[in-house]
Amino acid sequence: MIVARVSPFLFILFAFLSPASAQAPNADLIAKGQYLATAGDCVACHTTPGGTPFVGGRAFKLPFGTIYSRNITPDKETGIGSWSDDEFITAMQKGVAKGGEHLYPAFPYTAYTKLSRDDVLAIKAYLFSLTPVKNATPEDALSFPFNQRWALAFWNILFNPDKRFEADPKQSADWNRGAYLVEGLEHCGECHTPRRFTQSLNNSQKFAGAVTQGWMAYNITADSDSGVGGWSDDALASYLSTGHADGHSSAAGPMLEAVNDSLSHLTAQDIHAIVVYLRSAAPIKTVTAVAQNPPARSAATPPTADLGAQIFAGECANCHGWDGIGVQSPYASMVGSRTLNDSAATNLMAVLIGGSGAPSSDRPRFMPPFGVGRSDDQLSAVANFVNSYFGNGGSKITADDVAKARKALP
Ligand code: HEC
Ligand code: HEC
Ligand code: HEC
């Protein structure tokens, strides 16, 4: 090997001369940045399903076309390797990329803008410690006038606060930490707060629930019926850190991703802070309410000729049980789940079409997708059946609704 013949002296000399190593950020800063990047869940959006983390290319369907997340590894050509501190700060706080290109708020800079400069630079230090990967992400497919990115400058003036978080001295340290996480890094409102037609968040309906990419992010205000006001602190903490709370729900879809990639890695203290802050969100009553659950079902197969019940018997009962409490694991319990009590059945269809959980690592939590091989008629029949048998009985979805749900999902 050639390397072996080079004098070690040369390496030492190069180490001295190389500006990169002279300024190498210390391990503490990188570790801090890693925790913050995890809380910010950068990886969820900047990775394609099953792809290399942070290399981008994940598609975002917007009402007017498709954009793709970008490569944020430190590759100099296709990633952010040549970005200065200030260029990175400008992207995170103002949504403007190196070179002045305006970014779409599908990248939640309107939330990240609340982060302190130190925290953003810690995230940069972490990203720059990753192996650079060459990966050119696909070109956007935006229709006119939405491909005119400069117009976003006006949007930003109206809708990007471009302000750092300021602690409220009247509130506890936990509340303030929770606010920083929920409003900034974790950007919960990006999914849980409905948008106006301008695509800006409608904060008069803060956390009252919204549909994005075919999934309903439920009402998480303190309303006891349609929100999470009726959940105990422990149930909320358990849901956020493990993806499941007994008697309530198991997280699926984008929320399961948020739990797996981000929330499950947070300290118990940070989860507690998030719960404290969520509790203070003004209660808002919405139509997606958990109605009275039906009486407890027995484990015996009921006699019925209903198409949905027959599909349930053949395809679902071995995992979910006729009592609905889950055969292999409590994660498969349908009792008390919001998904079974939402008459629009948005997430019920999404779970049926795409499945849920992880196939290999966590077997008892895996539900296979039924979207392939099952017709829209069959899926609407089984959806209406489980809603009527285990939930509020309000769902009357049609084959057409299933067809629409298929299109809305990424
Ligand atoms: C909800 C999805 C989402 C999350 C979460 C997210 N991003 Fe992005 N990001 C995007 C999308 C989409 C784009 C491209 C936007 C566009 O094309 O206008 C982008 C663009 C960027 C860019 C601009 C890159 C370039 O080459 O122009 C940077 C930098 C960036 N993100 C960093 C981050 C960091 C750091 C985090 C975590 C703290 C993060 N992003 C979290 C979706 C996301
Ligand atoms: C990427 C989008 C997204 C983000 C970010 C997100 N959520 Fe969710 N959340 C969802 C979706 C979708 C569901 C419904 C999941 C399901 O049906 O299994 C959900 C469900 C929930 C539920 C369960 C509600 C119920 O009644 O069953 C809670 C609680 C919750 N989210 C809290 C949060 C908090 C707190 C944050 C921020 C720390 C957050 N979410 C961030 C999309 C998101
Ligand atoms: C191999 C076992 C398995 C099969 C078969 C299966 N499921 Fe599931 N199902 C699960 C598991 C495990 C979960 C929880 C996944 C998670 O953690 O997100 C789940 C979740 C669900 C949920 C969401 C519950 C909630 O709290 O949000 C619904 C609804 C559902 N399944 C319905 C069905 C229907 C209807 C069928 C038949 C067409 C079916 N399942 C077939 C294992 C299965």
Side-chain angles (χ1 to χ4, degrees):
M1 251 177 34
I2 299 184
V3 182
R5 297 210 195 107
V6 178
S7 153
F9 171 75
L10 276 182
F11 279 111
I12 294 165
L13 186 71
F14 276 125
F16 260 106
L17 292 177
S18 153
S21 70
Q23 297 164 7
N26 62 44
D28 286 349
L29 182 66
I30 292 174
K32 177 183 170 194
Q34 179 172 17
Y35 185 83
L36 296 168
T38 304
D41 208 359
C42 321
V43 76
C45 292
H46 284 275
T47 311
T48 51
T52 312
F54 300 112
V55 306
R58 182 167 177 166
F60 287 80
K61 284 188 194 172
L62 305 178
F64 40 81
T66 302
I67 60 170
Y68 298 87
S69 66
R70 299 183 174 178
N71 184 346
I72 53 169
T73 72
D75 180 55
K76 288 214 161 56
E77 237 176 88
T78 61
I80 58 168
S82 69
W83 291 34
S84 69
D85 284 359
D86 284 330
E87 283 162 346
F88 188 73
I89 295 268
T90 303
M92 296 288 282
Q93 292 178 348
K94 301 185 196 300
V96 177
K98 179 182 167 124
E101 181 196 21
H102 282 274
L103 298 163
Y104 271 94
F107 162 42
Y109 59 85
T110 52
Y112 297 146
T113 196
K114 303 204 170 65
L115 305 184
S116 69
R117 184 180 171 91
D118 282 356
D119 280 0
V120 174
L121 291 180
I123 292 174
K124 177 171 181 272
Y126 166 66
L127 292 174
F128 274 62
S129 76
L130 301 170
T131 309
V133 181
K134 205 167 278 319
N135 180 50
T137 52
E139 291 287 322
D140 309 326
L142 293 171
S143 56
F144 183 83
F146 300 103
N147 53 2
Q148 305 295 303
R149 285 174 172 263
W150 54 267
L152 280 163
F154 301 105
W155 191 91
N156 282 334
I157 290 168
L158 294 172
F159 303 120
N160 181 24
D162 193 9
K163 279 216 180 77
R164 313 300 86 77
F165 175 77
E166 273 172 39
D168 179 346
K170 292 193 293 300
Q171 300 284 356
S172 68
D174 274 342
W175 186 95
N176 276 303
R177 175 69 179 165
Y180 187 68
L181 289 167
V182 166
E183 301 293 346
L185 279 165
E186 289 283 352
H187 58 275
C188 314
E190 290 289 316
C191 296
H192 285 278
T193 300
R195 286 173 198 276
R196 300 181 195 276
F197 78 101
T198 53
Q199 292 297 304
S200 57
L201 296 181
N202 178 358
N203 279 324
S204 70
Q205 293 290 307
K206 198 178 181 65
F207 300 142
V211 176
T212 316
Q213 312 252 323
W215 285 87
M216 174 72 186
Y218 296 122
N219 181 337
I220 53 168
T221 70
D223 185 67
S224 58
D225 189 23
S226 46
V228 292
W231 296 35
S232 68
D233 284 2
D234 284 350
L236 268 175
S238 162
Y239 183 91
L240 295 174
S241 53
T242 71
H244 174 77
D246 280 336
H248 296 288
S249 293
S250 293
M255 189 62 201
L256 181 61
E257 244 178 319
V259 170
N260 283 347
D261 296 337
S262 174
L263 292 159
S264 63
H265 302 282
L266 297 193
T267 62
Q269 209 181 348
D270 274 349
I271 292 289
H272 174 70
I274 289 175
V275 171
V276 167
Y277 180 69
L278 261 196
R279 289 270 178 244
S280 71
I284 298 174
K285 201 169 273 312
T286 47
V287 286
T288 304
V290 171
Q292 294 301 309
N293 273 305
R297 299 294 183 186
S298 91
T301 310
T304 162
D306 176 82
L307 171 64
Q310 283 171 2
I311 298 173
F312 188 83
E315 305 269 17
C316 325
N318 54 341
C319 289
H320 287 284
W322 279 101
D323 50 11
I325 60 171
V327 177
Q328 300 101 327
S329 109
Y331 278 81
S333 171
M334 303 212 245
V335 179
S337 164
R338 182 93 56 192
T339 294
L340 276 302
N341 288 287
D342 175 8
S343 304
T346 311
N347 295 359
L348 181 50
M349 290 189 283
V351 166
L352 281 172
I353 293 166
S356 186
S360 50
S361 58
D362 216 355
R363 266 250 161 245
R365 288 184 53 182
F366 178 58
M367 165 153 160
F370 291 89
V372 179
R374 284 288 176 190
S375 71
D376 296 348
D377 279 319
Q378 288 169 323
L379 293 185
S380 58
V382 72
N384 288 334
F385 169 72
V386 291
N387 171 273
S388 68
Y389 203 69
F390 300 111
N392 69 355
S395 148
K396 304 275 180 288
I397 58 163
T398 62
D400 217 32
D401 294 324
V402 176
K404 281 193 199 118
R406 287 185 196 268
K407 285 212 189 80
L409 288 164

